[in-house]
């Protein structure tokens, strides 16, 4: 049976950036499709990046098969890129995205869109708001809206470890000391600068985004209801004239490792949404 041309294999390379180089994986659009543009994938933070690799790869291949070029980049201090996380900053990561977007613009027919997961979605929004060149669309998977809340939850891993180590001595900390230059949490070393960079990001209100935004929210399959707090943020964005498209998808949070098989419903919904946009 003739199933048509198979997608081209992903191309791995290192992209020159400052400082060092960034590991990238490029998925070219399928040869039997007219190029529909490109997506730049922005990965989540910490262990969520590792737990989401399979889903990111599956979605990248699905978008490539639909006619999009997809570039995955490991940000500075993450994955296989140069540097250490303790030396990373929000600004360096935004410069990484600028370098990746420039590479895409040279190798793929426009337009270029952003696709971010969790804190990667937050970074994508911040980059899009400051980007000089216009973007076609922004694809958000379960975006982190409040960086302070996210970082507080992340730092609780350290507090839990301290409590276990202290045991009956009752010597565990109740907060992370500001005087510590580096904070180790679950094997990741973070600087106070990076903690502050993330904590000050708040997208409860959004403006200055000149392109459509597609928000994909994973919800329990029982009722498919988006939590009221998240709905309130979505309404605030729309009130600020953001062209927001909301997609609720039944599933479990794969970025926590709760669902080893990922969330195929999310891949199907995402691919369908953008395939329909091409029709």
């Amino acid at each position: 049976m003739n199933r048509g041309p198979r997608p081209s294999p992903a191309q791995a390379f290192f992209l020159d950036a400052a400082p060092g180089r960034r590991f990238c994986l490029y998925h070219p659009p399928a040869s039997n499709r007219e190029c529909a543009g490109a997506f730049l994938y922005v990965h989540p933070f910490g262990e969520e990046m590792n737990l989401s690799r399979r889903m990111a790869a599956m979605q990248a291949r699905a978008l490539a098969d639909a006619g999009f070029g997809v570039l995955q980049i490991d940000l500075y201090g993450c994955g296989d890129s140069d540097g250490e996380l303790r030396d990373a900053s929000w600004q360096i990561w935004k410069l990484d995205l600028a370098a990746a977007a420039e590479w895409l613009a040279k190798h793929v027919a426009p337009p270029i869109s952003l696709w971010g997961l969790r804190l990667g979605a937050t970074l994508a929004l911040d980059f899009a708001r400051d980007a000089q060149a216009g973007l076609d669309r922004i694809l958000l998977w379960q975006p982190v809206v409040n960086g302070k809340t996210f970082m507080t939850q992340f730092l609780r891993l350290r507090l839990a470890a301290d409590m276990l180590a202290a045991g009956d001595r009752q010597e565990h900390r109740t907060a992370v000391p500001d005087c510590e230059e580096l904070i180790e949490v679950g094997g990741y070393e973070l600087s106070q600068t990076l903690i502050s960079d993330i904590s000050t990001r708040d997208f409860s209100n959004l403006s200055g985004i000149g392109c459509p935004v597609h928000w994909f929210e994973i919800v329990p399959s029982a009722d498919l209801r988006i939590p009221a707090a998240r709905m309130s943020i979505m309404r605030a964005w729309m009130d600020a004239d953001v062209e927001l498209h909301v997609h609720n998808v039944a599933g479990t949070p794969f970025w926590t490792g709760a669902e080893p098989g990922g969330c195929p419903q999310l891949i199907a919904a995402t691919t369908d949404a953008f395939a329909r946009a091409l029709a």
Side-chain angles (χ1 to χ4, degrees), residues 177-192:
D178 291 336
C179 60
E180 292 190 24
E181 183 177 348
L182 292 175
I183 306 297
E184 191 276 328
V185 183
Y188 295 92
E189 281 190 324
L190 285 71
S191 68
Q192 290 287 353

Side-chain angles (χ1 to χ4, degrees), residues 3 49 52 140 157 167 180 199 201 243 277:
R3 298 180 182 274
M49 174 186 180
S52 303
L140 308 176
L157 297 174
E180 292 190 24
S199 298
R201 300 306 182 230
E243 185 183 335

Side-chain angles (χ1 to χ4, degrees), residues 44 52-53 61 75 79-80 97 112 118 130 135 137 152 154 157 165 170 173 189 199-200 222 250-252 269 276:
S52 303
R53 280 192 183 277
R61 287 194 293 267
L75 300 171
D80 294 315
L97 297 187
I112 294 176
R118 299 281 290 149
D130 297 343
L135 295 164
R137 284 164 287 189
T152 298
F154 183 78
L157 297 174
Q170 299 297 317
R173 300 184 179 106
E189 281 190 324
S199 298
T200 54
T252 54
R276 279 190 283 107

Side-chain angles (χ1 to χ4, degrees), residues 46-60:
E47 194 61 21
E48 291 186 1
M49 174 186 180
N50 296 323
L51 294 171
S52 303
R53 280 192 183 277
R54 182 171 181 270
M55 275 289 293
M58 291 169 63
Q59 183 63 74

Side-chain angles (χ1 to χ4, degrees), residues 29-141:
S31 59
N32 62 327
R33 298 275 189 175
E34 182 178 351
C35 181
F39 276 93
L40 172 57
Y41 172 66
V42 193
H43 63 70
F45 180 79
E47 194 61 21
E48 291 186 1
M49 174 186 180
N50 296 323
L51 294 171
S52 303
R53 280 192 183 277
R54 182 171 181 270
M55 275 289 293
M58 291 169 63
Q59 183 63 74
R61 287 194 293 267
L63 288 171
D65 193 42
F68 295 95
V70 183
L71 181 64
Q72 297 177 255
I73 180 172
D74 287 358
L75 300 171
Y76 180 78
C78 303
D80 294 315
S81 286
D82 288 347
E84 301 293 336
L85 183 60
R86 63 188 178 188
D87 299 319
S89 71
W90 196 260
Q91 183 59 28
I92 290 177
W93 287 347
K94 288 172 70 173
L95 291 174
D96 288 350
L97 297 187
E102 183 179 357
W103 185 93
L104 271 174
K106 293 177 179 178
H107 292 82
V108 188
I112 294 176
S113 300
L114 294 177
W115 158 34
L117 168 61
R118 299 281 290 149
L119 193 67
T122 317
L123 181 60
L125 285 171
D126 202 25
F127 174 77
R129 192 165 53 182
D130 297 343
Q132 296 298 316
L135 295 164
D136 188 47
R137 284 164 287 189
I138 303 176
L139 164 58
L140 308 176
W141 273 7

